Amino acid sequence: MTNDKILSWQDIRNHLKHPLILATPVTLHIFRHAQSTVNAEKRIAGSQDVDITPQGEAQAKVLGTQLDPEYNLAFASGLKRAYKTLDIAINSGNISVGSIHKDKRLNERNLGVLEGGKLRFIPEYAAGDLNYAPENGESYAQLAQRIFSFLIDLAQMTQTSEVNKVLICSHIGSIRILVGIITENTSSVDVLGQRFGNTELMKLDWHRLIIPDFIEKGGIFK
């Protein structure tokens, strides 16, 4: 999984015309990156490639003690704050990983004119609007297209390789969509309202991939 290919929505629908059943259930351990320099200033990072803080490095080391001893695969986004967090956690916890990959499809959304600004309430996100994008930015629908493309590749990899435990480090927006898809959430308001702290670890059991109701009812296919 190194080509970061983004499928069209039609291709995603074709792949998922029927539920994609995994050969064996896969345990996913998903966590948000450690505190970044922009997080510390309570500003919006988005697609900016910012580093983690000393406090973030400490968070990543603690995370390493919470992980399992072994994983078949590990993934981080292509942004420094994610892959650096993953690297510190794996090394500090002495975790054995079959192979480690950077995948840009796990990157945070490009938030356009909002990037660098102070955190603030966005009514469109509170309303679960998957199609809203800030000026020069990316919508959650576009992000979902990336995440589905990643998951389809990962699901197909589990069909041909012995993969049953995967570690993923990403960003709050990407994790909202990732968790929403894996848990087959029905409400875009619930999905976009999810909160994940820095290095907060989620453990999910994954056995199939479908297009869940929050996507079907989210206005993406109008």
Side-chain angles (χ1 to χ4, degrees), residues 64-85:
T65 67
Q66 300 170 349
L67 300 177
D68 286 357
E70 296 182 359
Y71 294 87
N72 304 114
L73 300 170
F75 295 91
S77 84
L79 298 174
K80 183 186 300 181
R81 59 192 184 271
Y83 64 73
K84 190 169 180 179
T85 299

